[in-house]
Amino acid sequence: MSQSPISLGRKLRFSQIVVFEQVLRSGSILRAAQVLNMTQSAVTKVIHELEHQLGAALLVRGNRGVSPTEFGELVARRAKSLLAELRYMSEEVNAFQQGTAGQVLVGTLISASAVLLPRAIQLLKARAPAVVVTLRVAQMDQLLPALPVGDLDLVVGRVPEDGTWRTRSPQLEAETLYREPLCFVGGIQHPLAAPTPATLRDLLAFPWILPTRDSSLRQTADRMFRDAGVTPPANVVESLSVLTNVALMLDQATVGLMPDSAARQFAQAGLLAILPVPGLPDFGDIGCFAFTGREPAPAVELFRSCLREAAAGIATPATA
């Protein structure tokens, strides 16, 4: 049975889309009912109505909850986009009626979370206290796909050098904000935390923290060893957890790699020392990714301007 936009629009209600998306997000009709402040039977009724109107099953019910059918996944992708547009419209209405308001959903990586994002959020809050900023920390391959469907408004982090993300996501754009140097760090009492410069080979005598193998920073680290003709260290912990890494380096022996702006933040707090090792490669360009297929909400545009202002105070802007 084919569905025209007019016939489908007459049948469907936005509240049904909200309920369906929450069921998928919760993985359970019971948990979705609790979040939505509805009864379990009321949620079940909405799903049944939606399945009847669309002419196919949306969910598979099992002992561990519910999961989408293949048809349900198709509807879910469009449902997320519809809800994102509804959120943008509500934010524009609120901004028009009350002044700047709304929500900004931001995905980020370690490269932006230590300095750039806190500064940008402070600028935003000084100008628009009612805007809610929600942060999600993950890897780039998890964050970028969330932009087209509306799960995120912006992704802030290192721009991959290979450019393959442009092929996979042609509707995404990246605005380069600045170029980030890379540095070695250790505890403030680390033996190499002296003014005398050290070499990469000097560091091999110590335990290391390296980024996980699926991260872009690990690729940079591997290339650094290769270019220096040095065998990578064997005594390694692989981690992208900033708090864990800082705690490990408090042993005054472990060595880690960090973007320069993050390292300086910890050094100023007296937690870490920047180890004087010349000749390190740059960490790369730090930028802001966005989806070009939707008009951004006013709060999102305001936050982008705050990111630009915060980036200008960190380093010299990079050339694109």
Side-chain angles (χ1 to χ4, degrees):
M1 178 181 65
S2 62
Q3 302 267 17
S4 71
I6 293 177
S7 64
L8 196 59
R10 287 174 176 170
K11 294 176 184 177
L12 296 183
R13 303 187 305 275
F14 249 113
S15 59
Q16 294 173 311
I17 302 298
V18 171
V19 170
F20 174 57
E21 197 272 340
Q22 185 59 59
V23 169
L24 290 182
R25 187 183 294 270
S26 302
S28 160
I29 289 179
L30 175 59
R31 286 195 294 271
Q34 294 169 343
V35 172
L36 295 167
N37 197 26
M38 298 171 63
T39 65
Q40 189 172 352
S41 60
V43 171
T44 301
K45 181 181 178 182
V46 170
I47 297 299
H48 285 162
E49 289 175 349
L50 194 55
E51 289 176 326
H52 176 72
Q53 290 163 351
L54 295 174
L58 296 169
L59 301 174
V60 177
R61 296 155 178 83
N63 293 333
R64 296 186 177 181
V66 296
S67 58
T69 62
E70 185 177 355
F71 180 70
E73 290 179 350
L74 181 152
V75 174
R77 285 196 298 271
R78 295 301 181 185
K80 288 182 178 181
S81 295
L82 286 171
L83 292 174
E85 289 293 342
L86 181 63
R87 177 166 61 87
Y88 294 156
M89 184 175 73
S90 68
E91 289 175 3
E92 288 183 357
V93 170
N94 290 335
F96 180 82
Q97 294 179 337
Q98 306 169 10
T100 302
Q103 182 180 21
V104 184
L105 305 175
V106 184
T108 186
L109 299 90
I110 178 178
S111 51
S113 58
V115 179
L116 175 62
L117 274 178
R119 290 187 184 181
I121 291 171
Q122 289 166 352
L123 290 170
L124 176 72
K125 285 297 184 178
R127 298 166 189 173
V131 173
V132 177
V133 180
T134 302
L135 299 179
R136 174 183 167 190
V137 180
Q139 287 288 81
M140 190 65 78
D141 59 355
Q142 299 170 306
L143 296 175
L144 292 185
L147 288 170
V149 298
D151 281 347
L152 291 175
D153 298 314
L154 302 170
V155 171
V156 183
R158 182 177 183 267
V159 180
E161 294 177 357
D162 60 12
T164 55
W165 63 271
R166 298 181 188 274
T167 304
R168 294 193 300 266
S169 308
Q171 283 192 287
L172 299 186
E173 63 174 5
E175 176 185 355
T176 299
L177 299 171
Y178 64 97
R179 190 156 184 86
E180 180 80 88
L182 191 63
C183 61
F184 285 112
V185 287
I188 55 174
Q189 300 298 325
H190 194 281
L192 298 182
T196 305
T199 67
L200 186 57
R201 292 185 185 276
D202 293 332
L203 297 177
L204 296 180
F206 298 93
W208 278 66
I209 302 170
L210 286 175
T212 54
R213 296 175 189 274
D214 58 346
S215 68
S216 58
L217 182 52
R218 180 58 175 271
Q219 296 171 15
T220 301
D222 290 342
R223 187 170 62 249
M224 173 186 66
F225 292 122
R226 208 165 44 243
D227 292 347
V230 172
T231 301
N235 186 358
V236 170
V237 172
E238 295 182 338
S239 168
L240 287 174
S241 169
V242 176
L243 292 178
T244 300
N245 295 355
V246 171
L248 287 171
M249 285 184 278
L250 296 181
D251 67 358
Q252 311 305 328
T254 301
V255 172
L257 280 167
M258 269 192 185
D260 182 76
S261 59
R264 293 188 183 282
Q265 190 94 331
F266 287 113
Q268 290 170 5
L271 292 173
L272 298 177
I274 297 175
L275 307 183
V277 181
L280 267 69
D282 279 345
F283 177 64
D285 290 339
I286 305 302
C288 176
F289 294 83
F291 178 58
T292 60
R294 281 188 301 271
E295 188 71 24
V300 175
E301 277 299 292
L302 178 60
F303 188 63
R304 288 189 73 163
S305 68
C306 292
L307 282 168
R308 297 182 190 109
E309 186 175 337
I314 294 175
T316 304
T319 56

